[in-house]
Coordinates of all heavy atoms in Angstrom, one line a residue:
M561 N 87.8 116.5 90.9 CA 88.2 116.7 89.5 C 87.3 117.7 88.8 O 87.4 118.8 89.0 CB 88.2 115.4 88.7 CG 89.5 114.6 88.9 SD 89.4 113.0 88.0 CE 89.3 113.6 86.3
T562 N 86.4 117.2 87.9 CA 85.5 118.1 87.2 C 84.1 118.2 87.9 O 83.1 118.3 87.2 CB 85.4 117.7 85.7 OG1 85.4 116.3 85.6 CG2 86.6 118.3 85.0
S563 N 84.1 118.0 89.2 CA 82.9 118.1 90.0 C 81.7 117.3 89.4 O 80.6 117.8 89.3 CB 82.5 119.5 90.3 OG 82.4 120.3 89.1
G564 N 82.0 116.1 89.0 CA 80.9 115.2 88.6 C 80.3 115.5 87.2 O 79.3 114.9 86.9
L565 N 80.9 116.4 86.5 CA 80.3 116.7 85.2 C 80.4 115.6 84.2 O 79.6 115.5 83.2 CB 81.1 117.9 84.6 CG 80.7 119.3 85.2 CD1 81.5 120.4 84.6 CD2 79.2 119.6 84.9
I566 N 81.4 114.7 84.4 CA 81.6 113.6 83.4 C 80.5 112.5 83.6 O 80.2 111.8 82.7 CB 83.0 112.9 83.6 CG1 84.1 113.9 83.7 CG2 83.3 111.9 82.5 CD1 85.4 113.3 84.1
K567 N 79.9 112.5 84.7 CA 78.9 111.5 85.0 C 77.7 111.5 84.0 O 77.2 112.6 83.6 CB 78.3 111.8 86.4 CG 78.0 110.5 87.2 CD 77.4 110.9 88.5 CE 78.4 110.8 89.7 NZ 77.8 111.1 91.0
G568 N 77.4 110.4 83.5 CA 76.3 110.3 82.5 C 76.7 110.6 81.1 O 75.9 110.4 80.2
V569 N 77.9 111.1 80.9 CA 78.4 111.3 79.5 C 78.9 110.0 78.9 O 79.8 109.4 79.5 CB 79.5 112.4 79.5 CG1 80.0 112.6 78.0 CG2 78.9 113.7 80.0
N570 N 78.4 109.7 77.8 CA 78.8 108.4 77.1 C 79.1 108.7 75.7 O 78.3 108.5 74.8 CB 77.7 107.4 77.3 CG 78.0 106.4 78.4 OD1 79.1 106.0 78.6 ND2 77.0 106.0 79.1
K571 N 80.3 109.0 75.5 CA 80.8 109.3 74.1 C 81.1 107.9 73.4 O 81.8 107.1 74.0 CB 82.0 110.1 74.0 CG 81.8 111.6 74.4 CD 83.0 112.4 74.3 CE 82.9 113.7 75.1 NZ 84.2 114.2 75.4
P572 N 80.5 107.7 72.3 CA 80.8 106.4 71.6 C 82.3 106.3 71.3 O 82.9 107.2 70.8 CB 80.0 106.5 70.3 CG 79.5 107.8 70.2 CD 79.6 108.5 71.5
G573 N 82.8 105.1 71.5 CA 84.3 104.9 71.2 C 85.2 105.5 72.2 O 86.4 105.3 72.1
H574 N 84.7 106.1 73.2 CA 85.5 106.6 74.3 C 85.5 105.7 75.5 O 84.4 105.4 76.0 CB 85.0 108.0 74.6 CG 86.0 108.8 75.4 ND1 86.0 108.7 76.8 CD2 86.9 109.7 75.0 CE1 87.0 109.6 77.2 NE2 87.5 110.2 76.2
K575 N 86.6 105.3 75.9 CA 86.6 104.3 77.0 C 86.6 104.9 78.4 O 86.8 104.2 79.3 CB 87.8 103.4 76.8 CG 87.6 102.4 75.6 CD 88.8 101.5 75.4 CE 88.7 100.7 74.1 NZ 90.0 100.1 73.7
G576 N 86.4 106.2 78.5 CA 86.2 106.8 79.8 C 87.4 107.5 80.3 O 87.3 108.1 81.4
W577 N 88.5 107.6 79.6 CA 89.6 108.4 80.1 C 89.5 109.8 79.5 O 88.9 110.0 78.5 CB 91.0 107.7 79.9 CG 91.4 107.6 78.5 CD1 91.9 108.6 77.7 CD2 91.3 106.4 77.7 NE1 92.1 108.0 76.4 CE2 91.8 106.7 76.4 CE3 90.8 105.1 77.9 CZ2 91.8 105.8 75.4 CZ3 90.9 104.2 76.9 CH2 91.4 104.5 75.7
T578 N 90.2 110.7 80.1 CA 90.2 112.1 79.6 C 91.6 112.5 79.4 O 92.6 111.9 79.8 CB 89.5 113.0 80.7 OG1 90.1 112.8 81.9 CG2 88.0 112.7 80.8
T579 N 91.7 113.7 78.8 CA 93.0 114.3 78.5 C 93.0 115.6 79.3 O 92.0 116.4 79.2 CB 93.2 114.6 77.0 OG1 93.1 113.3 76.3 CG2 94.5 115.2 76.7
E580 N 94.0 115.9 80.0 CA 94.2 117.2 80.6 C 95.4 117.8 80.1 O 96.3 117.1 79.5 CB 94.3 117.0 82.2 CG 93.1 116.4 82.8 CD 91.9 117.4 82.9 OE1 92.1 118.5 82.6 OE2 90.8 116.9 83.3
K581 N 95.5 119.1 80.3 CA 96.7 119.8 79.9 C 97.6 120.0 81.1 O 97.2 120.4 82.2 CB 96.4 121.1 79.3 CG 95.9 121.0 77.8 CD 95.8 122.4 77.3 CE 95.6 122.4 75.8 NZ 94.7 121.5 75.2
C582 N 98.9 119.9 80.9 CA 99.9 120.2 81.9 C 99.7 121.7 82.2 O 99.7 122.5 81.3 CB 101.3 119.9 81.5 SG 102.6 120.6 82.6
I583 N 99.6 122.0 83.5 CA 99.2 123.4 83.9 C 100.4 124.3 83.6 O 100.2 125.5 83.5 CB 98.8 123.4 85.4 CG1 98.0 124.7 85.7 CG2 100.0 123.2 86.3 CD1 97.3 124.7 87.0
I584 N 101.6 123.8 83.5 CA 102.8 124.6 83.3 C 103.1 124.8 81.8 O 103.2 125.9 81.3 CB 104.0 124.0 84.0 CG1 103.7 124.2 85.5 CG2 105.3 124.8 83.6 CD1 104.8 123.6 86.4
C585 N 103.3 123.6 81.1 CA 103.7 123.7 79.7 C 102.6 123.5 78.7 O 102.8 123.5 77.5 CB 104.9 122.8 79.4 SG 104.4 121.1 79.5
K586 N 101.4 123.2 79.2 CA 100.2 123.0 78.3 C 100.3 121.7 77.4 O 99.5 121.6 76.5 CB 99.9 124.2 77.4 CG 99.9 125.5 78.2 CD 98.9 125.5 79.3 CE 98.9 126.9 80.0 NZ 98.4 126.9 81.3
T587 N 101.2 120.8 77.7 CA 101.3 119.6 77.0 C 100.0 118.8 77.3 O 99.6 118.8 78.5 CB 102.5 118.8 77.4 OG1 103.7 119.5 77.1 CG2 102.6 117.4 76.8
N588 N 99.5 118.1 76.4 CA 98.4 117.2 76.6 C 98.8 116.0 77.4 O 99.8 115.4 77.1 CB 97.7 116.8 75.3 CG 96.8 117.8 74.8 OD1 96.1 118.5 75.5 ND2 96.8 118.0 73.5
I589 N 98.1 115.7 78.5 CA 98.4 114.5 79.3 C 97.2 113.6 79.1 O 96.1 113.9 79.5 CB 98.6 114.9 80.7 CG1 99.7 115.9 80.9 CG2 98.8 113.6 81.6 CD1 99.8 116.4 82.4
D590 N 97.5 112.4 78.5 CA 96.5 111.4 78.4 C 96.4 110.7 79.8 O 97.4 110.0 80.2 CB 96.9 110.4 77.3 CG 95.8 109.4 77.1 OD1 95.2 108.9 78.0 OD2 95.5 109.1 75.9
L591 N 95.3 110.9 80.5 CA 95.3 110.4 81.8 C 95.3 108.8 81.9 O 95.6 108.2 82.8 CB 94.1 110.9 82.6 CG 94.2 112.4 82.8 CD1 93.0 112.9 83.6 CD2 95.5 112.8 83.6
Y592 N 94.8 108.2 80.8 CA 94.8 106.8 80.7 C 96.3 106.3 80.6 O 96.7 105.4 81.4 CB 94.0 106.3 79.6 CG 93.9 104.7 79.5 CD1 93.1 104.0 80.4 CD2 94.7 104.0 78.5 CE1 93.1 102.7 80.3 CE2 94.6 102.7 78.5 CZ 93.8 102.0 79.4 OH 93.8 100.6 79.3
E593 N 97.0 106.9 79.7 CA 98.4 106.5 79.6 C 99.2 106.9 80.9 O 100.1 106.2 81.4 CB 99.1 107.3 78.5 CG 98.9 106.6 77.1 CD 99.5 107.3 76.0 OE1 100.4 108.1 76.2 OE2 99.1 107.1 74.9
A594 N 98.8 108.0 81.5 CA 99.4 108.4 82.8 C 99.2 107.4 83.8 O 100.1 107.0 84.6 CB 98.9 109.8 83.2
Y595 N 98.0 106.9 83.8 CA 97.6 105.8 84.8 C 98.4 104.6 84.6 O 98.9 104.0 85.5 CB 96.1 105.5 84.7 CG 95.6 104.5 85.7 CD1 95.2 105.0 87.0 CD2 95.5 103.2 85.4 CE1 94.8 104.1 87.9 CE2 95.1 102.3 86.4 CZ 94.7 102.8 87.6 OH 94.3 101.9 88.6
E596 N 98.6 104.2 83.4 CA 99.4 103.0 83.0 C 100.9 103.2 83.3 O 101.5 102.3 83.9 CB 99.2 102.7 81.6 CG 97.8 102.3 81.2 CD 97.5 100.9 81.4 OE1 98.0 100.1 80.5 OE2 96.8 100.5 82.3
G597 N 101.4 104.4 82.9 CA 102.8 104.6 83.0 C 103.3 105.4 84.2 O 104.5 105.5 84.4
G598 N 102.4 106.0 84.9 CA 102.8 106.8 86.0 C 103.6 108.0 85.6 O 104.5 108.4 86.4
N599 N 103.3 108.6 84.5 CA 104.1 109.7 84.0 C 103.4 111.1 84.1 O 103.7 112.0 83.4 CB 104.6 109.5 82.6 CG 103.4 109.2 81.6 OD1 102.2 109.2 82.1 ND2 103.7 109.0 80.4
A600 N 102.5 111.1 85.0 CA 101.8 112.4 85.2 C 101.6 112.6 86.7 O 101.5 111.6 87.5 CB 100.5 112.5 84.5
Y601 N 101.5 113.8 87.1 CA 101.3 114.2 88.6 C 100.2 115.1 88.7 O 99.8 115.8 87.8 CB 102.6 114.7 89.1 CG 103.7 113.7 89.2 CD1 104.4 113.4 88.0 CD2 104.0 113.1 90.3 CE1 105.4 112.4 88.0 CE2 105.0 112.1 90.4 CZ 105.7 111.8 89.2 OH 106.7 110.8 89.3
Y602 N 99.7 115.2 89.9 CA 98.6 116.2 90.2 C 98.7 116.7 91.6 O 99.4 116.1 92.4 CB 97.2 115.5 89.9 CG 96.9 114.5 91.0 CD1 96.0 114.9 92.0 CD2 97.4 113.2 91.0 CE1 95.6 113.9 93.0 CE2 97.1 112.3 91.9 CZ 96.2 112.7 92.9 OH 95.8 111.8 93.9
C603 N 98.1 117.8 91.8 CA 98.1 118.4 93.2 C 96.6 118.2 93.7 O 95.7 118.8 93.2 CB 98.4 119.9 93.2 SG 98.2 120.6 94.8
P604 N 96.5 117.3 94.7 CA 95.1 117.0 95.2 C 94.5 118.2 95.8 O 93.3 118.4 95.7 CB 95.4 115.9 96.3 CG 96.8 115.7 96.4 CD 97.5 116.5 95.3
K605 N 95.3 119.1 96.4 CA 94.7 120.3 97.1 C 94.1 121.3 96.1 O 93.0 121.7 96.2 CB 95.8 121.0 97.9 CG 95.2 122.0 98.9 CD 96.3 122.5 99.8 CE 95.7 123.6 100.7 NZ 96.8 124.3 101.4
C606 N 94.9 121.5 95.0 CA 94.4 122.5 94.0 C 93.3 121.9 93.2 O 92.3 122.6 92.9 CB 95.6 122.8 93.0 SG 96.8 123.9 93.7
L607 N 93.3 120.6 93.0 CA 92.2 120.0 92.2 C 90.9 120.1 93.1 O 89.9 120.3 92.5 CB 92.5 118.5 92.0 CG 93.4 118.2 90.7 CD1 93.4 116.7 90.5 CD2 92.8 118.9 89.5
S608 N 91.0 119.9 94.4 CA 89.9 120.0 95.2 C 89.3 121.4 95.2 O 88.1 121.6 95.6 CB 90.2 119.5 96.6 OG 90.9 120.5 97.3
Q609 N 90.1 122.4 94.9 CA 89.7 123.7 94.8 C 89.3 124.2 93.4 O 89.2 125.4 93.1 CB 90.7 124.7 95.4 CG 90.9 124.4 96.9 CD 92.1 125.1 97.5 OE1 92.8 125.8 96.8 NE2 92.2 125.0 98.8
G610 N 89.3 123.2 92.5 CA 88.8 123.5 91.1 C 89.9 124.0 90.2 O 89.6 124.2 89.0
L611 N 91.2 124.0 90.6 CA 92.3 124.3 89.7 C 92.8 123.0 89.1 O 93.0 122.1 89.9 CB 93.4 125.0 90.5 CG 94.6 125.5 89.7 CD1 94.2 126.6 88.8 CD2 95.7 126.0 90.7
K612 N 92.9 123.0 87.8 CA 93.3 121.8 87.1 C 94.8 121.6 87.2 O 95.5 121.8 86.2 CB 92.8 121.8 85.7 CG 91.3 121.7 85.6 CD 90.9 121.3 84.2 CE 89.5 120.7 84.3 NZ 89.1 119.9 83.1
A613 N 95.3 121.3 88.4 CA 96.7 121.2 88.6 C 97.3 119.9 88.3 O 97.6 119.0 89.1 CB 97.0 121.6 90.1
Y614 N 97.4 119.6 86.9 CA 98.1 118.4 86.4 C 99.4 118.8 86.0 O 99.6 119.9 85.4 CB 97.3 117.8 85.3 CG 95.9 117.3 85.7 CD1 94.8 118.1 85.6 CD2 95.8 116.0 86.3 CE1 93.6 117.6 86.0 CE2 94.6 115.5 86.7 CZ 93.5 116.3 86.5 OH 92.2 115.8 86.9
F615 N 100.4 117.9 86.1 CA 101.8 118.2 85.7 C 102.3 117.1 84.9 O 102.1 115.9 85.3 CB 102.6 118.4 87.0 CG 102.2 119.5 87.9 CD1 101.2 119.3 88.8 CD2 102.8 120.8 87.8 CE1 100.7 120.3 89.6 CE2 102.3 121.8 88.6 CZ 101.3 121.6 89.5
C616 N 103.0 117.4 83.8 CA 103.7 116.3 83.1 C 104.9 115.9 84.0 O 105.3 116.7 84.9 CB 104.1 116.8 81.7 SG 105.4 118.1 81.7
S617 N 105.5 114.8 83.7 CA 106.6 114.3 84.5 C 107.7 115.3 84.5 O 108.4 115.4 85.6 CB 107.0 112.9 84.1 OG 107.3 112.9 82.8
A618 N 108.0 115.9 83.4 CA 109.2 116.8 83.3 C 109.0 118.0 84.2 O 109.9 118.4 85.0 CB 109.4 117.2 81.9
D619 N 107.8 118.6 84.2 CA 107.5 119.7 85.0 C 107.4 119.3 86.5 O 107.8 120.1 87.4 CB 106.3 120.4 84.6 CG 106.5 121.3 83.3 OD1 107.6 121.9 83.2 OD2 105.7 121.3 82.4
A620 N 106.9 118.2 86.8 CA 106.8 117.7 88.2 C 108.2 117.7 88.8 O 108.4 118.1 89.9 CB 106.1 116.4 88.2
R621 N 109.1 117.1 87.9 CA 110.5 117.1 88.4 C 111.1 118.5 88.6 O 111.8 118.7 89.6 CB 111.3 116.3 87.4 CG 112.6 115.7 88.0 CD 113.4 114.9 86.9 NE 112.5 113.9 86.3 CZ 112.5 113.8 84.9 NH1 113.2 114.5 84.2 NH2 111.7 112.9 84.4
R622 N 110.7 119.3 87.7 CA 111.3 120.7 87.7 C 110.8 121.4 88.9 O 111.6 122.3 89.5 CB 110.8 121.5 86.4 CG 111.7 122.6 86.0 CD 111.4 123.1 84.6 NE 111.6 122.0 83.6 CZ 110.9 121.9 82.5 NH1 109.8 122.6 82.3 NH2 111.1 120.9 81.7
V623 N 109.6 121.2 89.4 CA 109.2 121.9 90.6 C 109.4 121.0 91.9 O 108.9 121.3 93.0 CB 107.7 122.3 90.5 CG1 107.4 123.2 89.4 CG2 106.8 121.0 90.4
H624 N 110.3 120.0 91.7 CA 110.7 119.1 92.8 C 109.4 118.5 93.5 O 109.4 118.3 94.7 CB 111.5 119.9 93.8 CG 112.7 120.5 93.2 ND1 113.8 119.8 92.8 CD2 113.0 121.8 92.9 CE1 114.7 120.6 92.3 NE2 114.3 121.8 92.3
Y625 N 108.4 118.2 92.7 CA 107.3 117.4 93.1 C 106.5 118.2 94.2 O 105.9 117.7 95.1 CB 107.6 116.0 93.6 CG 108.3 115.3 92.5 CD1 109.7 115.1 92.5 CD2 107.6 114.7 91.5 CE1 110.4 114.5 91.4 CE2 108.2 114.1 90.4 CZ 109.6 113.9 90.4 OH 110.2 113.3 89.4
K626 N 106.7 119.5 94.2 CA 105.9 120.4 95.1 C 105.1 121.3 94.2 O 105.6 121.9 93.3 CB 106.9 121.3 95.9 CG 107.5 120.5 97.0 CD 107.0 120.9 98.4 CE 107.4 119.9 99.5 NZ 108.8 119.9 99.8
C627 N 103.8 121.5 94.6 CA 102.9 122.3 93.8 C 103.4 123.8 93.9 O 103.6 124.3 95.0 CB 101.5 122.2 94.3 SG 100.4 123.3 93.5
P628 N 103.6 124.4 92.7 CA 104.1 125.8 92.7 C 103.0 126.8 93.2 O 103.3 127.9 93.4 CB 104.5 126.1 91.3 CG 103.7 125.1 90.5 CD 103.5 123.9 91.4
Y629 N 101.7 126.3 93.3 CA 100.6 127.2 93.7 C 100.4 127.1 95.2 O 100.1 128.2 95.8 CB 99.4 126.8 92.9 CG 99.6 126.8 91.4 CD1 99.9 125.7 90.7 CD2 99.7 128.0 90.7 CE1 100.2 125.7 89.4 CE2 99.9 128.1 89.4 CZ 100.2 126.9 88.7 OH 100.5 126.9 87.3
C630 N 100.4 125.9 95.7 CA 100.0 125.8 97.2 C 101.1 125.1 98.0 O 101.0 125.0 99.2 CB 98.7 125.1 97.3 SG 98.8 123.4 96.9
R631 N 102.2 124.7 97.3 CA 103.3 124.1 98.0 C 103.0 122.7 98.6 O 103.8 122.2 99.3 CB 103.9 125.0 99.1 CG 104.1 126.4 98.8 CD 104.9 126.7 97.5 NE 106.3 126.2 97.6 CZ 107.1 126.1 96.6 NH1 106.7 126.5 95.4 NH2 108.4 125.7 96.8
S632 N 101.9 122.1 98.2 CA 101.6 120.8 98.6 C 102.5 119.8 97.8 O 103.0 120.2 96.7 CB 100.2 120.4 98.3 OG 99.3 121.1 99.2
E633 N 102.6 118.6 98.3 CA 103.3 117.6 97.5 C 102.5 117.1 96.4 O 101.3 116.8 96.6 CB 103.7 116.4 98.4 CG 105.2 116.5 98.7 CD 105.6 115.3 99.6 OE1 105.4 114.2 99.2 OE2 106.1 115.6 100.7
L634 N 103.1 116.9 95.2 CA 102.4 116.4 94.1 C 102.3 114.9 94.3 O 103.1 114.2 94.9 CB 103.1 116.7 92.8 CG 103.3 118.1 92.5 CD1 104.0 118.3 91.1 CD2 102.0 118.9 92.5
K635 N 101.2 114.3 93.7 CA 101.0 112.9 93.8 C 101.0 112.3 92.4 O 100.5 112.9 91.4 CB 99.6 112.6 94.4 CG 99.4 113.0 95.8 CD 99.5 111.7 96.7 CE 99.1 112.1 98.1 NZ 100.2 112.8 98.8
P636 N 101.7 111.2 92.2 CA 101.6 110.5 90.9 C 100.2 110.2 90.5 O 99.4 109.8 91.4 CB 102.4 109.2 91.1 CG 103.1 109.4 92.4 CD 102.3 110.4 93.2
Y637 N 99.8 110.4 89.3 CA 98.5 110.2 88.9 C 98.0 108.8 89.1 O 96.8 108.6 89.5 CB 98.2 110.6 87.4 CG 96.8 110.5 87.1 CD1 96.0 111.6 87.5 CD2 96.2 109.5 86.4 CE1 94.6 111.6 87.2 CE2 94.9 109.4 86.1 CZ 94.1 110.5 86.5 OH 92.7 110.5 86.3
Y638 N 98.8 107.8 89.0 CA 98.4 106.4 89.2 C 98.0 106.1 90.6 O 97.4 105.0 90.9 CB 99.4 105.4 88.6 CG 100.7 105.4 89.3 CD1 101.0 104.8 90.6 CD2 101.8 106.1 88.7 CE1 102.2 104.9 91.2 CE2 103.0 106.2 89.3 CZ 103.2 105.6 90.5 OH 104.5 105.6 91.2
Q639 N 98.2 107.0 91.5 CA 97.8 106.8 92.9 C 96.4 107.4 93.2 O 96.0 107.5 94.3 CB 98.8 107.3 93.9 CG 100.0 106.4 94.0 CD 101.0 106.9 95.0 OE1 100.8 107.9 95.7 NE2 102.1 106.2 95.1
F640 N 95.8 107.9 92.1 CA 94.6 108.7 92.2 C 93.6 107.9 93.0 O 93.3 106.7 92.6 CB 94.1 109.1 90.9 CG 93.2 110.3 90.9 CD1 93.8 111.5 90.6 CD2 91.9 110.2 91.3 CE1 93.0 112.7 90.6 CE2 91.1 111.4 91.3 CZ 91.7 112.6 91.0
Ligands
ZN1049 ZN1 104.5 120.2 81.5
ZN1050 ZN1 98.5 122.9 94.7

């Protein structure tokens, strides 16, 4: 993800989830809600290479759950 940068950061009132932007439409994705509702997807391969490849559910469907950058299969965020 963010290569360990979150480690040690303790924002008051923040329960530890983050917000990412959909890489296609730039919609904010609340990763906590995504975790609960399974409405966000990510590309593990791109993420491991530092590309923030998060997808909202609409765009994930639009690209047929295949990463448009590396053609890997997208994973639902709740399986992270
Ligand atoms: Zn999107
Ligand atoms: Zn990818």
